[in-house]
Amino acid sequence: MRTHQVVSAWLEQELAAGRLHIGSRLPGERTMAERLGISRASVREGTRVLEALGVVRAGVGSGPQAGTVITGNPSLALDSALRLHVASAHLRVKDIVETRLLLETWAAAHASPGSPSLERAARLLDEMDRCDDGPAGFLQRDALFHVALAEAAGNVLVGAMMGSLRGSIEDYTQRLTARLPEWGATSQRLRREHRAILDAVLEGRGEHAAELVQDHIEGFYRESGIHSEG
Amino acid sequence: MRTHQVVSAWLEQELAAGRLHIGSRLPGERTMAERLGISRASVREGTRVLEALGVVRAGVGSGPQAGTVITGNPSLALDSALRLHVASAHLRVKDIVETRLLLETWAAAHASPGSPSLERAARLLDEMDRCDDGPAGFLQRDALFHVALAEAAGNVLVGAMMGSLRGSIEDYTQRLTARLPEWGATSQRLRREHRAILDAVLEGRGEHAAELVQDHIEGFYRESGIHSEG
DNA sequence: TACGGGCTGTGGTCAGACCACACAAGCTAT
DNA sequence: ATAGCTTGTGTGGTCTGACCACAGCCCGTA
């Protein structure tokens, strides 16, 4: 086992044993190095990995917010991994869009009508009705709306994946939007569809909501000129 | 931006510009440090992150296999991230099983009958008929069969996720198997179901294959005593 | 009481050293 | 001439020890 991996191995043990949990502070790097019998450089490499995986957050200074703290942020790992793998052309945008569609229809079908995420989703829709800062602001709230919807299904993993997928294709979406002939008409349609989706979920008609989501997403891509970029 | 991040930023640029691609060798750490104007320690931290994300593989020595090489292995990031987030109780096994079911039924419905992955899947089924090394060997091939099936859908992302999800719940599955009253009867049923799934896919009856997959997975968990552990 | 500055511990970064490894080239003994 | 060993070279892996910036805490002072 490589030296820096003793850090994640140790952390996994501590978590499993219940001695550490989300919110706990890790010992200082120097302490940890001595305790694990490795150098501080190796501790740091291990910590960087944990940070990249969204398991930990490092902060300088002193006080309660400082030091290395255990977080639970799986989307961080997905975010950067997706970015780089898309850049290396190992992942195609088509796959990501496809996966997003898959996750999102499932989430719509399984969303719990009573989830507080739905209230956040509703507020986002209100903001989108009022907002006049152009497509950029609209799309940002649009993305958050879809993520909120995914979280309403109560599956942390699906929620995290959705968030990262949205992020990784955000540039792509922005470019697609630029091709739209009439933003005004499109945004009005999108808002109408959002309301319909949210209503279906709130009424517990999951399957119907899933169909609406599918039409909503596919319609957007169709209107803006289909996956012509790899 | 933190110093070690200049490495991933640089790599992303190089990839986007087409100057590097999967299979390329990165410059040596010392060279990179000088070229990027940072210390070797920082280069190493950056490389560790890339390695953890499955973008890169580091190997000592000299020759074609040595040095830091760009790979495309998104599942590596998911693997470790899932392990740790499950350990931190931020992800529940229930969510993972649920997500696996979701991805797998989709893959079965979208698998291309002509995919070479299916030939691998068929070979695995033959091995499972012959193998007599108990549940462990069987389950391992079982897992590979399901991953092969997922890959047949031609979506790299879904394939990678499936692989990682299987891995992260492998321990769990092993424990469930131990509870089964009669392994012989169960394995026979599982093999029969696998054949039926593969046949359905090969015949292009995707929707039917998806139903079979769903019954197959849910049946297994039901028989072995349902998600009683968080 | 209010304020200001130093103290302390945190992560962030760096430089330089040595090690194990694996291949390649060259040397040596057959 | 060839088989086998030796040495050279470049790679990542690890360690040490140093210095920096930062943020909160504590104590002395006005």
Side-chain angles (χ1 to χ4, degrees):
Chain A
M1 182 192 289
R2 298 225 253 130
T3 308
H4 73 265
Q5 292 175 324
V6 311
V7 178
S8 42
W10 169 82
L11 179 61
E12 193 175 347
Q13 276 189 335
E14 295 295 298
L15 288 169
R19 283 188 292 270
L20 291 177
H21 50 87
I22 291 184
S24 301
R25 286 238 308 262
L26 262 54
E29 295 181 346
R30 296 159 178 87
T31 309
M32 203 127 72
E34 190 179 5
R35 199 178 296 177
L36 297 178
I38 61 182
S39 74
R40 191 183 161 207
S42 296
V43 170
R44 284 186 59 76
E45 290 187 11
T47 310
R48 283 294 81 67
V49 170
L50 293 175
E51 200 176 14
L53 295 179
V55 180
V56 126
R57 179 185 50 72
V60 293
S62 70
Q65 288 305 312
T68 305
V69 179
I70 302 181
T71 64
N73 189 0
S75 28
L76 223 159
L78 284 169
D79 277 345
S80 14
L82 285 175
R83 280 183 66 87
L84 283 156
H85 283 108
V86 166
S88 76
H90 186 67
L91 286 180
R92 289 166 303 224
V93 171
K94 166 184 158 293
D95 285 5
I96 295 186
V97 170
E98 201 171 65
T99 309
R100 179 202 155 191
L101 189 56
L102 154 69
L103 293 177
E104 205 152 353
T105 51
W106 178 88
H110 291 76
S112 148
S115 164
S117 297
L118 295 180
E119 296 170 18
R120 202 173 74 238
R123 276 199 303 278
L124 283 163
L125 290 187
D126 290 342
E127 285 181 34
M128 286 159 84
D129 283 342
R130 287 195 307 272
C131 90
D132 51 356
D133 45 359
F138 185 91
L139 286 177
Q140 194 173 354
R141 292 183 179 83
D142 189 341
L144 290 175
F145 169 75
H146 284 270
V147 173
L149 213 57
E151 285 172 357
N155 184 319
V156 178
L157 185 55
V158 170
M161 285 178 172
M162 260 301 301
S164 296
L165 294 180
R166 288 293 303 200
S168 69
I169 55 177
E170 193 172 337
D171 291 349
Y172 180 73
T173 310
Q174 300 269 3
R175 266 180 283 137
L176 285 189
T177 311
R179 297 189 193 169
L180 289 174
E182 275 198 70
W183 171 246
T186 302
S187 83
Q188 194 170 354
R189 180 173 60 73
L190 293 180
R191 286 193 312 233
R192 200 168 52 240
E193 291 175 356
H194 286 154
R195 292 285 179 193
I197 292 169
L198 184 57
D199 288 346
V201 169
L202 288 172
E203 291 166 11
R205 299 162 62 210
E207 290 304 329
H208 184 226
E211 288 172 23
L212 292 176
V213 165
Q214 174 143 358
D215 293 344
H216 174 65
I217 299 179
E218 288 184 340
F220 174 76
Y221 285 111
R222 198 177 312 118
E223 181 174 355
S224 29
I226 301 291
H227 327 249
S228 54
E229 337 192 8
Chain B
M1 184 191 290
R2 297 224 254 132
T3 308
H4 68 91
Q5 292 175 324
V6 311
V7 178
S8 44
W10 169 82
L11 179 60
E12 193 175 349
Q13 276 189 334
E14 295 295 298
L15 288 170
R19 283 188 292 270
L20 291 178
H21 50 88
I22 291 184
S24 301
R25 288 238 306 263
L26 263 54
E29 296 181 345
R30 295 159 179 86
T31 309
M32 202 126 77
E34 190 179 6
R35 201 179 294 176
L36 297 178
I38 61 183
S39 74
R40 192 183 160 208
S42 296
V43 171
R44 285 186 58 76
E45 289 187 11
T47 310
R48 281 296 79 68
V49 170
L50 293 175
E51 200 176 15
L53 295 178
V55 179
V56 126
R57 178 185 52 71
V60 293
S62 70
Q65 287 307 314
T68 304
V69 180
I70 302 180
T71 65
N73 189 0
S75 27
L76 224 160
L78 285 169
D79 277 346
S80 15
L82 285 176
R83 281 183 65 86
L84 284 155
H85 282 109
V86 167
S88 76
H90 188 66
L91 287 180
R92 290 166 302 228
V93 171
K94 167 183 158 294
D95 285 5
I96 295 185
V97 170
E98 200 172 65
T99 310
R100 180 202 155 189
L101 189 57
L102 153 68
L103 292 177
E104 205 152 354
T105 52
W106 179 88
H110 292 76
S112 149
S115 164
S117 298
L118 295 182
E119 297 170 17
R120 203 172 75 239
R123 275 199 303 277
L124 283 164
L125 289 190
D126 291 341
E127 285 181 33
M128 287 159 83
D129 282 343
R130 286 196 307 272
C131 90
D132 52 355
D133 47 356
F138 184 93
L139 286 177
Q140 195 174 354
R141 292 183 179 84
D142 189 341
L144 290 174
F145 168 77
H146 284 272
V147 173
L149 214 60
E151 285 172 358
N155 185 317
V156 179
L157 187 55
V158 170
M161 285 178 173
M162 260 301 300
S164 297
L165 293 181
R166 285 295 301 201
S168 70
I169 56 176
E170 195 173 335
D171 291 349
Y172 180 71
T173 311
Q174 300 270 4
R175 266 180 283 137
L176 285 190
T177 311
R179 297 189 193 170
L180 290 175
E182 275 196 71
W183 171 246
T186 302
S187 84
Q188 195 171 353
R189 180 174 60 74
L190 293 179
R191 286 193 312 233
R192 199 167 54 241
E193 290 176 356
H194 287 154
R195 292 283 177 194
I197 292 169
L198 184 57
D199 288 346
V201 169
L202 287 172
E203 290 166 11
R205 298 163 63 210
E207 289 304 331
H208 183 224
E211 288 172 22
L212 291 177
V213 165
Q214 175 142 1
D215 293 344
H216 174 65
I217 300 178
E218 288 185 339
F220 175 76
Y221 285 110
R222 199 177 311 117
E223 182 176 355
S224 28
I226 302 291
H227 327 251
S228 53
E229 340 193 8

